Amino acid sequence: MERSSSVPQINKMFLAALALSFIAKALGAVVMKSSIIHIERRFEISSSLVGFIDGSFEIGNLLVIVFVSYFGSKLHRPKLIGIGCFIMGIGGVLTALPHFFMGYYRYSKEINIDSSENSTSTLSTCLSNQIVSHNRTSPEIVGKGCVKESGSYMWMYVFMGNMLRGIGETPIVPLGLSYMDDFAKEGYSSLYLGILNAIAMIGPIIGFTLGSLFSKMYVDIGSVDLSTVRITPNDSRWVGAWWLNFLVSGLFSIISSIPFFFLPQTPNKPQKERKASLSLPVLETNDGKSQTANLTSRGKNITKNVTGFFRSFKSILTNPLYVVFVLLTVLQISSYIGGFTYVFKYVEQEYGQPSSKTNVLLGIVTLPIFASGMFLGGYIIKKFKLNPIGIAKFSFFTAVMSLFFYLLYFFILCENKSVAGLTMTYDGNNPVTSHRDVPLSYCNSDCNCDESQWEPVCGNNGITYISPCLAGCKSSSGNKKSIVFHNCSCLEVTGLQNRNYSAHLGECPRSDACITKFYFFVAIQVLNLFFSALGGTSYFMLMVKIVQPELKSLALGFHSMVIRALGGILAPIYFGALIDTTCMKWSSNSCGTRGSCRIYNSTLFSKVYLGLSSVLRVSSLVLYIILIYAMKKKFQEKDTNASENGSVMDEANLESLNNNKHFVPSAGADSETHY
């Protein structure tokens, strides 16, 4: 009795531990996406490079997925999952590690955090503080800065940490679900899986909440006097406490690994199965020759398995329906991955909203909608008992609706930012065709300004200037975040009525109309994600319907590998590379090398970001149409062949019945009635 009662207890322990690991896995994924914008700025790297770092998770996953798939079921599955969670946690901690060795974050070339001097006093104005400015750029200081800032290569630790997360995450789902299926009663596996997926949603909720909270905290919190920091979370140079995200998620993953080391290798089996499994070694030991025969048969089995694998692999690659399906899902999922990777940057540049606010609205608000869409999609397929063609049409419908709402983003774009020297002339009167090499105006040509500096100020004419010096400001008052610059000559030529030619620190905020468009963006995002999630279940259902039953596992595995390689790894890179082309102002370190982007052409950024995703989605819809047409043709041929075979069999049966001399009338009548 004690033993039988311990069986469900162990199974419950495993389900609870697996639920924790699902939460940890989802938490780590969201933490990485919400921290990308801060990692890019902290390490002074481009969007394409941070996209490569983001893809390292999939690289790590691909490195061990074959090993886990083949050997995982033969080894101690709970311990393998525990080791995976532990590695995932170590990866999170390793990702946060560079923060403790890189020194303080320098958001401006003019700032010296190691000094007790008031940082705002170093801001150069027109014809003032030039001696200080020149002293700070002396060759000696530059040389020291180069040595110190070479630490930016520590982004490689973030890359390796994210790769470790990918390696550690690999065994959780396949081994966890197979172990669960071993002890689950018939029909209960899907219920347990649904419960696990529902509990896993806690991870993203925690992740987006932490992302919002830590984004508001300055990166060097606890190390510097925050009263001397003159930038705010709305500033394009702001870096939040991104490392705290990874520490929390890493430690949570390590804790979630502990229960797995106390679980048995296999779940307890029914008594008959145990007796059968115990009797096998006895039979083998009774005959030594049987061991030799087993070794020989195993060698032949390995050869058969390898040959069978290549035949199966060839079978799915020569299946046109499967190939088209893989291509269209690669395009569609690449659109989702690339879009989600840079959505925080897009919202910041287009609508002027900080990532802390985006985390809350796009995370917590849309998650329940996404979960509802996944559930409803599966319910619709089951309720209406859709056949493969019906599932394909349903999936096509959800993709069309998702694209429709996505295209609405083009109609709620804000105007391009007004930045003197980048989108308009320095006097603020005329737009420019290119942001490159905009000539100085008579209002600042005598100011001797450093044009590579990025210390934006907002004039009371609503125009952002690259620096107080380039705005022609002669003096300043106040300190820290509240500093105000006065007598700005470039503001005079814009014809202000009150003759108050002043500017304050930071970029000019977006207009009220633009902020209203942001809330429309969130509402459309909810609908877009709902239809995307609605068709999510149909992906898996459709894939298993278009391949032979014995090839389902191989088809799912190959599909997952292609999605990870072409979607998870490549999509963030080429999305980031195209986004980099829209940058108007790059930061530069004391060595003069290019860092991260400070400001983008928001109009061009939106067109590239939304346009690339739209092209991928439209291309996938074309392949959907081809897939549905090919499926109809194939299934019609099957029906035709089946009906022809049926009619031939009917004729043959009738002929044999007529020729049968021992035909019984009553039976014949029944048979005719049946036919």
Side-chain angles (χ1 to χ4, degrees):
M1 290 295 293
E2 291 181 1
R3 179 162 187 153
S4 63
S5 63
S6 67
V7 175
Q9 193 68 26
I10 291 173
N11 298 343
K12 287 178 183 178
M13 282 180 59
F14 179 80
L15 283 175
L18 193 61
L20 275 179
S21 67
F22 268 56
I23 293 173
K25 180 171 70 76
L27 173 61
V30 169
V31 158
M32 186 64 199
K33 295 296 185 184
S34 62
S35 301
I36 275 182
I37 192 170
H38 302 287
I39 292 172
E40 179 180 340
R41 292 169 183 170
R42 182 65 183 96
F43 294 94
E44 293 287 347
I45 54 179
S46 63
S47 295
S48 56
L49 182 52
V50 83
F52 177 60
I53 293 172
D54 181 56
S56 63
F57 177 87
E58 309 295 350
I59 295 174
N61 206 292
L62 289 173
L63 287 176
V64 296
I65 193 169
V66 174
F67 171 83
V68 170
S69 300
Y70 184 77
F71 293 103
S73 59
K74 306 176 188 299
L75 302 174
H76 198 298
R77 285 175 290 178
K79 284 187 178 179
L80 272 181
I81 297 172
I83 292 170
C85 290
F86 184 79
I87 292 173
M88 194 164 60
I90 294 298
V93 174
L94 179 62
T95 303
L97 206 59
H99 167 76
F100 301 97
F101 302 105
M102 287 186 67
Y104 299 124
Y105 172 54
R106 296 179 63 188
Y107 51 83
S108 172
K109 290 194 288 184
E110 299 288 336
I111 191 169
N112 184 6
I113 295 183
D114 296 325
S115 173
S116 60
E117 178 186 5
N118 187 345
S119 60
T120 57
S121 65
T122 64
L123 286 171
S124 58
T125 54
C126 184
L127 300 177
S128 65
N129 295 332
Q130 294 301 302
I131 297 177
V132 176
S133 177
H134 288 306
N135 286 342
R136 287 190 178 275
T137 56
S138 66
E140 183 182 358
I141 299 296
V142 169
K144 290 180 180 178
C146 279
V147 174
K148 184 176 181 179
E149 291 178 16
S150 62
S152 60
Y153 286 103
M154 293 186 80
W155 60 263
M156 295 178 69
Y157 286 95
V158 181
F159 178 89
M160 291 187 290
N162 201 36
M163 185 185 291
L164 280 179
R165 279 201 322 107
I167 292 172
E169 187 258 5
T170 307
I172 294 176
V173 174
L175 300 188
L177 297 186
S178 67
Y179 190 93
M180 179 188 71
D181 192 58
D182 286 349
F183 67 73
K185 295 179 181 178
E186 187 175 354
Y188 276 73
S189 293
S190 58
L191 174 63
Y192 292 152
L193 181 59
I195 293 172
L196 285 172
N197 286 328
I199 294 175
M201 297 302 291
I202 297 173
I205 292 174
I206 296 173
F208 283 118
T209 304
L210 291 178
S212 177
L213 177 65
F214 294 145
S215 292
K216 297 176 184 177
M217 299 181 183
Y218 186 63
V219 61
D220 292 318
I221 186 171
S223 301
V224 299
D225 183 5
L226 298 182
S227 64
T228 63
V229 179
R230 62 171 181 259
I231 59 174
T232 66
N234 292 317
D235 197 293
S236 62
R237 296 164 295 173
W238 177 267
V239 175
W242 61 275
W243 51 277
L244 282 173
N245 278 321
F246 290 99
L247 279 183
V248 172
S249 64
L251 292 174
F252 186 83
S253 296
I254 291 173
I255 292 171
S256 70
S257 71
I258 297 174
F260 290 105
F261 294 101
F262 299 95
L263 293 168
Q265 181 172 356
T266 55
N268 290 8
K269 300 177 182 178
Q271 193 68 22
K272 290 181 181 179
E273 292 184 22
R274 282 204 299 273
K275 287 181 178 179
S277 63
L278 289 172
S279 64
L280 290 175
V282 177
L283 292 173
E284 288 184 3
T285 54
N286 289 338
D287 189 0
K289 293 181 180 180
S290 65
Q291 293 182 1
T292 307
N294 284 338
L295 290 173
T296 305
S297 64
R298 285 176 185 175
K300 291 180 180 179
N301 286 337
I302 291 173
T303 305
K304 284 183 178 180
N305 288 338
V306 172
T307 306
F309 170 77
F310 284 110
R311 285 178 180 172
S312 300
F313 193 62
K314 181 181 177 182
S315 179
I316 62 171
L317 290 183
T318 53
N319 182 343
L321 296 181
Y322 178 76
V323 172
V324 172
F325 176 79
V326 169
L327 290 176
L328 73 87
T329 50
V330 165
L331 293 173
Q332 203 160 28
I333 294 176
S334 294
S335 168
Y336 298 152
I337 293 173
F340 183 56
T341 301
Y342 297 102
V343 66
F344 298 99
K345 183 189 288 285
Y346 169 75
V347 169
E348 181 187 70
Q349 292 297 320
E350 181 61 34
Y351 301 105
Q353 302 299 313
S355 60
S356 57
K357 188 174 183 179
T358 311
N359 267 290
V360 174
L361 290 176
L362 295 188
I364 297 174
V365 173
T366 57
L367 276 176
I369 302 297
F370 188 83
S372 302
M374 290 288 288
F375 172 79
L376 186 59
Y379 176 79
I380 290 173
I381 293 173
K382 183 180 179 182
K383 176 70 175 177
F384 295 98
K385 298 178 181 179
L386 299 179
N387 59 21
I389 296 176
I391 295 173
K393 289 180 178 179
F394 175 70
S395 185
F396 176 74
F397 167 75
T398 60
V400 169
M401 293 303 297
S402 177
L403 176 62
F404 168 76
F405 287 109
Y406 195 84
L407 293 176
L408 293 181
Y409 294 148
F410 285 100
F411 298 96
I412 54 171
L413 298 179
C414 299
E415 295 181 356
N416 200 10
K417 298 175 182 177
S418 299
V419 184
L422 294 177
T423 62
M424 56 178 51
T425 55
Y426 282 103
D427 58 21
N429 287 327
N430 301 302
V432 295
T433 55
S434 173
H435 63 271
R436 293 183 175 87
D437 301 323
V438 177
L440 295 175
S441 175
Y442 60 88
C443 63
N444 58 12
S445 57
D446 296 331
C447 293
N448 235 355
C449 303
D450 179 7
E451 295 182 51
S452 66
Q453 184 185 14
W454 177 254
E455 196 68 56
V457 293
C458 177
N460 53 4
N461 57 353
I463 298 175
T464 299
Y465 295 84
I466 296 175
S467 69
C469 182
L470 287 171
C473 301
K474 307 295 191 301
S475 60
S476 63
S477 63
N479 52 40
K480 300 169 187 173
K481 296 183 179 71
S482 59
I483 189 171
V484 178
F485 299 91
H486 305 285
N487 301 323
C488 303
S489 55
C490 289
L491 274 68
E492 297 178 13
V493 294
T494 57
L496 288 175
Q497 299 295 325
N498 57 7
R499 296 188 175 275
N500 181 19
Y501 310 125
S502 62
H504 60 270
L505 276 176
E507 295 179 43
C508 293
R510 285 294 200 174
S511 64
D512 293 339
C514 183
I515 295 174
T516 301
K517 289 181 179 180
F518 168 67
Y519 292 106
F520 280 112
F521 170 83
V522 174
I524 296 173
Q525 180 84 339
V526 168
L527 295 171
N528 173 30
L529 283 177
F530 173 76
F531 280 102
S532 297
L534 195 64
T537 307
S538 62
Y539 284 155
F540 302 100
M541 297 294 295
L542 189 58
M543 184 163 31
V544 298
K545 297 290 185 183
I546 60 179
V547 296
Q548 296 161 346
E550 65 273 14
L551 300 179
K552 285 191 289 187
S553 297
L554 180 61
L556 286 166
F558 180 73
H559 178 263
S560 175
M561 185 181 70
V562 173
I563 292 297
R564 290 181 183 278
L566 301 182
I569 297 174
L570 292 184
I573 296 175
Y574 61 73
F575 263 82
L578 286 175
I579 288 172
D580 284 337
T581 62
T582 68
C583 182
M584 295 191 296
K585 185 73 175 179
W586 292 92
S587 68
S588 59
N589 59 23
S590 53
C591 302
T593 56
R594 195 178 81 173
S596 60
C597 186
R598 294 306 190 200
I599 187 170
Y600 295 86
N601 183 322
S602 59
T603 301
L604 188 58
F605 182 104
S606 301
K607 290 179 179 178
V608 166
Y609 173 78
L610 299 176
L612 177 58
S613 189
S614 299
V615 168
L616 291 172
R617 294 187 184 212
V618 170
S619 302
S620 71
L621 290 182
V622 173
L623 291 176
Y624 256 123
I625 296 172
I626 295 173
L627 177 68
I628 294 171
Y629 174 77
M631 288 181 70
K632 282 184 176 180
K633 188 175 180 181
K634 182 175 180 179
F635 284 106
Q636 282 175 355
E637 288 177 357
K638 282 186 176 181
D639 293 340
T640 303
N641 293 334
S643 61
E644 288 177 355
N645 292 335
S647 61
V648 170
M649 289 180 64
D650 290 345
E651 292 176 2
N653 289 333
L654 287 171
E655 186 177 351
S656 64
L657 288 170
N658 291 329
N659 295 332
N660 193 347
K661 295 179 180 180
H662 302 287
F663 175 68
V664 181
S666 60
D670 290 341
S671 298
E672 285 181 10
T673 306
H674 174 70
Y675 283 115

